[in-house]
Amino acid sequence: KEKLQVAIDGPAGSGKSTVAKIIAKNFAFIYIDTGAMYRAVTLYAKINQIDYENEEQLSEQVATISLTFVPADPVQRVILDGQDVTEAIRSEEITNNVSLVSSYKKIREEMTERQRQMTEGASVVMDGRDIGTTVLPKAQVKIFLVASVEQRAARRFKENQTKGFRVSLEELKDEIILRDYKDSHRLISPLKKASDAVTIDTSYLSIDQVVEKISEIIKTRA
Ligand code: C5P
């Protein structure tokens, strides 16, 4: 049976990972969170006391970084050089520096290569910024999720409350705007809708409604 690739891209907080996980579960596809990979590389810099600005050193070392996803309920774990960093990669410091680290050519090349390898022989749902444009240009299903910045900040705010992070709604809004700006304006594979992607505005849709819309599209292509 033909393997299916579902690429879900979009700006920060548009609901990509939430719906990607549900879809992967429902269709029994592998889920690959590419944002987690760039976050893990950023955390690697912090742990190894490499300045986030030090593109040269990070580029030299990226191939040696061990990065794996381990299936677990309710969320898969992210393992960086043998350490479970699932929660650590979500900190404010990592969130605010990941756009810089992910802009480096060598880092993107290495992660793109690894992401493609992970799809071999499997049907996958992959979420990120450049999946439909660069990583999986032949994906049968390409979705571009968008939502108003107010809605996205409000979602992050709620998420943060459950994690005990204290950042104001205004600050979150500014962070999201800045991160989207950096992600959309970098030189190499910026955040951009693939020409053959379907845009879904999630501002006024429930998670179930977004899942439903994407599932319908998957069924027509499967
Ligand atoms: O999806 P998430 O918000 O966890 O992604 C964190 C960051 O990783 C993004 O803001 C972006 O800088 C980078 N990223 C990327 N390409 C991807 C996925 C994420 O550059 N495919």
Side-chain angles (χ1 to χ4, degrees):
K1 192 161 166 264
E2 202 203 345
K3 300 298 175 199
L4 210 78
Q5 296 181 334
V6 180
I8 304 183
D9 291 299
S14 56
K16 299 182 300 292
S17 67
T18 306
V19 299
K21 278 178 212 160
I22 298 171
I23 289 164
K25 194 169 182 184
N26 290 350
F27 286 88
F29 292 175
I30 288 177
Y31 168 54
I32 302 168
D33 177 355
T34 66
M37 298 172 71
Y38 290 100
R39 287 171 179 275
V41 175
T42 308
L43 182 64
Y44 171 91
K46 179 180 164 68
I47 291 171
N48 294 280
Q49 294 170 4
I50 302 168
D51 283 346
Y52 300 122
E53 286 77 19
N54 196 338
E55 177 173 2
E56 199 184 328
Q57 198 179 345
L58 277 171
S59 301
E60 257 169 42
Q61 297 187 17
V62 65
T64 69
I65 302 176
S66 156
L67 196 49
T68 51
F69 290 112
V70 177
D73 222 19
V75 284
Q76 63 186 8
R77 312 301 298 178
V78 183
I79 311 296
L80 166 66
D81 290 334
Q83 244 191 306
D84 188 327
V85 297
T86 314
E87 280 81 31
I89 59 171
R90 307 284 159 194
S91 74
E92 279 291 302
E93 181 179 341
I94 298 305
T95 301
N96 292 332
N97 288 286
V98 63
S99 292
L100 176 64
V101 172
S102 75
S103 71
Y104 301 149
K105 181 168 185 275
K106 196 74 210 301
I107 307 291
R108 298 210 71 82
E109 283 173 0
E110 177 72 24
M111 292 304 126
T112 300
E113 176 60 29
R114 292 190 193 193
Q115 287 152 12
R116 287 182 185 144
Q117 276 172 12
M118 288 183 210
T119 68
E120 269 165 33
S123 288
V124 295
V125 180
M126 193 181 281
D127 80 21
R129 301 292 185 288
D130 63 340
I131 312 308
T133 54
T134 305
V135 182
L136 304 175
K138 291 183 182 149
Q140 295 93 332
V141 178
K142 295 185 186 180
I143 307 292
F144 197 72
L145 287 190
V146 297
S148 70
V149 70
E150 282 75 21
Q151 294 285 341
R152 294 186 285 131
R155 287 178 194 156
R156 272 288 137 87
F157 188 73
K158 267 176 92 179
E159 252 177 60
N160 279 1
Q161 278 185 321
T162 65
K163 291 180 191 163
F165 294 169
R166 258 180 259 264
V167 185
S168 73
L169 193 60
E170 270 311 302
E171 262 178 282
L172 282 177
K173 205 174 135 181
D174 292 345
E175 277 175 21
I176 286 177
I177 292 170
L178 184 63
R179 188 144 66 98
D180 287 348
Y181 183 87
K182 289 182 191 159
D183 290 342
S184 325
H185 290 82
R186 68 174 174 236
L187 230 51
I188 310 155
S189 40
L191 166 64
K192 189 172 176 267
K193 177 190 169 299
S195 57
D196 52 349
V198 176
T199 300
I200 301 177
D201 186 334
T202 71
S203 301
Y204 302 104
L205 297 177
S206 68
I207 292 168
D208 284 350
Q209 287 173 316
V210 181
V211 168
E212 183 58 32
K213 274 184 189 284
I214 299 175
S215 301
E216 288 301 320
I217 298 171
I218 293 174
K219 284 172 195 160
T220 66
R221 314 276 159 93

